[in-house]
Amino acid sequence: MHTNQIKDDFPFFKDNDLVYLDSGATAQKPQIVFNAMEGYYKKYCANIHRAAHGLGNKATKEYENARHKVAEFLNAKTKDEVVFVSGATEGINLVAYAYVKENFEHVIISSLEHHSNIVPWQIIGKALHVIDSKKDLHVDLENYESLLKTYPNSFVSLTQTSNTFGVTLPIKEMIKLAHSYGCKVLVDAAQSAVHKRVDVQELDADFLVISGHKLYGPTGIGALYIKEELHELCKPFKGGGGAIKEVSYESTSYMPIPYMYEAGTQNIAGAIGFASALEYMKTIGFDFINKHEKELIEYTHEKLLRLKDVITYSDTKNATGNISFNIKGIHHQDLGILLDKQKVQLRVGHHCVQPTMNALGIEGTLRISFGIYNTKEDVDTFFKALKRAIEMIRG
């Protein structure tokens, strides 16, 4: 399959002459996603799990079919292990309040975490313990085991792939080690699931979160995987219609998971669009995705190292999905503005990992993040624009 053929599937690139290198923030959407969501709104728009009429039954069927497709994508044992949430951030917050708050005192995280995997633990008042990183930003596994020994039976919450530096943690090994010390583990796969196959059973994850908009689906939808054995230990999170069995003024009994966590009217069109995006990814296949993105990363790495005064912070040659860097003596925001003027879109700033940036002694970076629609020509255009931006600033 040729990348230009893939690009043709995305209306964004027909309507814009931009080089888009910010898929780590949100990916563009293929036409199939718009078709699926429009189909719901135009042909069978109704609420789910409530009506006896045909439209309601059709909407419920498609919504639950979407849950099945997400479960299949993650290789969950059953679709009931998949809860629809607004995104990875809500998924982590849900776990914080519904499971961690009453069961754990200590939370262990890596030094590469997004703010959404730091702030929720602070809000519920847990002691945070941060795993040391090596110079290339990979986790120090000896320090990790030392923390597990010091704080056994804790909760561990880890990103699988850094949203900023493309570093991928040895997550399967880290989960196995955590379990040996009686810990439970949440995996933030928001950045990894779009680049590599995520198998919750193979990983033996207890919880895992993904965001639809990073997987070529719509915004405002994501999924939380909860291992079936933990369902009875999870408490209600939000109350309302759809989440309950019976309500009286004295007490309430709840539906089982996943419905206990889907109170109120859900993002029905979003779930249906999300499922279509996953089906689209299935047609592309991870073999192609892995090969294509590896070529882009290596190509970018080679061109990056030819730049004068470039500063990198991790192993950019073997990064997953994204590369971060700076140019010595030039603020990343200034470069970002000049790149935008040349119709090259990428992200600059702290990328919601301020503690990591502080540890590196920097305010932020420029970040290139790839999607399946990006090409080597996009990379060439980026570097041409970057060199021009540097010349404009330095004179």
Side-chain angles (χ1 to χ4, degrees):
M1 183 176 290
H2 197 279
T3 312
N4 286 331
Q5 291 176 290
I6 292 174
K7 216 162 198 171
D8 287 342
D9 294 335
F10 291 78
F12 174 87
F13 297 108
K14 296 175 183 176
D15 299 330
N16 294 284
D17 59 345
L18 303 171
V19 171
Y20 187 77
L21 296 170
D22 197 20
S23 295
T26 195
Q28 299 304 327
K29 326 302 177 190
Q31 184 64 48
I32 189 175
V33 171
F34 301 124
N35 293 345
M37 296 177 72
E38 185 179 34
Y40 164 73
Y41 281 123
K42 282 188 171 181
K43 297 178 180 178
Y44 57 98
C45 184
N47 217 323
I48 56 172
H49 301 141
R50 288 163 172 80
H53 55 68
L55 287 179
N57 290 337
K58 169 69 173 173
T60 299
K61 180 181 177 181
E62 293 300 322
Y63 181 81
E64 289 302 324
N65 184 51
R67 193 192 309 278
H68 173 77
K69 288 181 179 178
V70 175
E72 186 180 64
F73 179 77
L74 296 175
N75 193 32
K77 284 193 295 185
T78 75
K79 72 180 184 69
D80 289 343
E81 291 182 315
V82 172
V83 179
F84 281 121
V85 287
S86 65
T89 297
E90 186 186 24
I92 294 171
N93 277 271
L94 192 159
V95 174
Y97 281 94
Y99 180 68
V100 175
K101 188 175 182 180
E102 292 187 12
N103 293 301
F104 300 91
E105 291 300 320
H106 301 275
V107 175
I108 297 171
I109 62 173
S110 82
S111 61
L112 295 168
E113 301 305 326
H114 190 279
H115 294 165
S116 60
N117 200 21
I118 298 173
V119 179
W121 314 120
Q122 295 173 336
I123 291 175
I124 63 171
K126 300 305 174 185
L128 268 183
H129 307 283
V130 184
I131 308 164
D132 290 342
S133 285
K134 299 178 180 179
K135 286 185 177 180
D136 62 0
L137 296 182
H138 282 279
V139 292
D140 184 332
L141 291 177
E142 288 185 5
N143 177 251
Y144 175 53
E145 184 162 16
S146 175
L147 288 175
L148 293 172
K149 286 178 180 177
T150 306
Y151 307 104
N153 305 307
S154 295
F155 192 77
V156 178
S157 192
L158 303 167
T159 184
Q160 186 170 17
T161 296
S162 164
N163 74 304
T164 305
F165 299 101
V167 175
T168 295
L169 278 63
I171 203 74
K172 184 177 179 180
E173 180 183 349
M174 295 179 80
I175 291 172
K176 184 176 181 181
L177 197 56
H179 285 167
S180 72
Y181 286 93
C183 301
K184 299 299 181 187
V185 185
L186 180 148
V187 178
D188 178 358
Q191 291 290 335
S192 56
V194 69
H195 301 296
K196 58 181 61 184
R197 188 172 284 104
V198 172
D199 185 327
V200 291
Q201 292 191 68
E202 182 185 1
L203 293 176
D204 196 23
D206 300 299
F207 303 89
L208 185 139
V209 293
I210 55 175
S211 286
H213 70 102
K214 297 181 192 294
L215 288 153
Y216 309 105
T219 57
I221 190 71
L224 163 64
Y225 162 81
I226 305 176
K227 187 185 286 184
E228 190 175 29
E229 298 92 287
L230 298 175
H231 286 196
E232 290 186 4
L233 298 175
C234 294
K235 305 297 183 185
F237 178 51
K238 293 186 289 188
I244 54 86
K245 284 183 180 177
E246 293 185 7
V247 174
S248 71
Y249 289 121
E250 291 71 38
S251 65
T252 297
S253 60
Y254 295 88
M255 295 285 285
I257 295 172
Y259 308 107
M260 184 171 76
Y261 292 135
E262 295 181 7
T265 296
Q266 297 300 296
N267 185 357
I268 303 165
I272 292 166
F274 186 14
S276 292
L278 297 183
E279 283 296 297
Y280 178 78
M281 287 186 67
K282 189 176 178 180
T283 66
I284 303 297
F286 274 108
D287 289 342
F288 174 86
I289 292 171
N290 296 158
K291 181 176 181 292
H292 175 63
E293 291 187 352
K294 187 175 188 296
E295 289 174 355
L296 283 179
I297 289 286
E298 290 179 352
Y299 188 66
T300 304
H301 165 80
E302 289 170 7
K303 293 179 81 71
L304 195 62
L305 294 189
R306 293 183 204 147
L307 280 179
K308 185 180 178 182
D309 294 331
V310 68
I311 306 168
T312 58
Y313 305 92
S314 57
D315 179 10
T316 55
K317 185 177 181 180
N318 297 301
T320 299
N322 65 77
I323 290 176
S324 272
F325 67 96
N326 273 309
I327 301 297
K328 188 176 181 181
I330 303 179
H331 200 280
H332 53 274
Q333 293 281 0
D334 294 336
L335 288 172
I337 291 168
L338 291 175
L339 287 167
D340 178 57
K341 297 292 184 183
Q342 299 175 76
K343 298 186 176 182
V344 175
Q345 317 289 297
L346 78 166
R347 186 169 172 182
V348 296
H350 57 67
H351 314 299
C352 295
V353 291
Q354 283 183 308
T356 310
M357 296 295 177
N358 291 338
L360 292 169
I362 57 178
E363 290 181 18
T365 66
L366 296 97
R367 184 190 71 177
I368 311 164
S369 54
F370 295 113
I372 53 177
Y373 34 63
N374 287 123
T375 63
K376 287 183 178 179
E377 289 75 22
D378 290 338
V379 177
D380 290 339
T381 302
F382 161 71
F383 277 102
K384 183 180 178 180
L386 178 62
K387 288 174 183 177
R388 187 181 177 198
I390 293 170
E391 290 170 0
M392 292 171 70
I393 291 171
R394 287 185 170 163

